[in-house]
Amino acid sequence: MARNTDNIERDIEAARDQLAATLDELSVRVDPKRLAENTKRSAVATLNEPAVKFSLIGVGVVVAILVARKIVS
């Protein structure tokens, strides 16, 4: 069954619209500013988890004690 030119043109226009929408979505997803904000938000969320937070505090205390001992010695 042969397709007429009107159907083909409608299909092409629909494909163009879909491609334009996809490109718009990709441009939003790869925006450097948005990527940086998402990365920052993720890092802050990870650092605010109790296990990570208390581990970092513990490491900081150990480093402070070692530095203090080195200064006093």
Side-chain angles (χ1 to χ4, degrees), residues 29 31-47:
R29 287 185 184 185
D31 178 38
K33 189 180 227 180
R34 185 167 185 245
L35 288 174
E37 289 171 4
N38 288 345
T39 303
K40 179 182 173 186
R41 189 177 307 119
S42 175
V44 168
T46 300
L47 291 175

Side-chain angles (χ1 to χ4, degrees), residues 4 6 11 15 24 29 31 41-42 44 50-51 61-62 64 68 71 73:
N4 65 25
D6 290 337
D11 289 347
D24 289 343
R29 287 185 184 185
D31 178 38
R41 189 177 307 119
S42 175
V44 168
V61 168
V62 169
I71 292 173
S73 298

Side-chain angles (χ1 to χ4, degrees), residues 45-70:
T46 300
L47 291 175
N48 282 331
E49 291 179 9
V52 175
K53 185 186 290 187
F54 295 131
S55 297
L56 289 175
I57 290 171
V59 168
V61 168
V62 169
V63 169
I65 290 171
L66 291 175
V67 168
R69 284 181 65 188
K70 195 70 164 174

